[in-house]
Amino acid sequence: MLSPHWYVVHELLSLLRSRERRAARAPLDSGARQARDDAAYTLCVLMGERTIAAAVKAAEHYLARSRQAVLPAVAAAPEPAP
């Protein structure tokens, strides 16, 4: 099974949160609501979940696992030669 790159998940989760704040500030703005819904739908599809809450939770868990896998590898990488 293919997994998304952690950076894509991070950016999409950030975008969704930004659009949620925008929609909350302007509840009558249909464009803001549509932008939020589009980001939420994309995150749901990317994470394979049916609800926004489940997709956000899955994305947060995915990012936590990705950080645990990436950080030790970065720390163990040799320094480049001068």
Side-chain angles (χ1 to χ4, degrees):
M1 183 164 112
L2 295 176
S3 296
H5 192 277
W6 67 269
Y7 187 76
V8 173
V9 176
H10 169 76
E11 287 297 305
L12 189 54
L13 190 57
S14 296
L15 178 66
L16 173 62
R17 289 178 172 153
S18 166
R19 289 183 175 181
E20 283 177 333
R21 288 189 300 271
R22 180 178 159 217
R25 284 192 307 267
L28 300 178
D29 183 354
S30 63
R33 284 194 318 271
Q34 184 63 49
R36 178 204 57 210
D37 293 347
D38 290 346
Y41 175 80
T42 304
L43 186 64
C44 285
V45 170
L46 188 66
M47 300 312 299
E49 298 292 343
R50 291 180 174 255
T51 66
I52 298 168
V56 168
K57 185 175 180 178
E60 289 170 343
H61 284 263
Y62 182 79
L63 291 173
R65 285 191 314 270
S66 295
R67 279 189 209 104
Q68 290 172 355
V70 169
L71 291 179
V74 170
E79 294 228 4

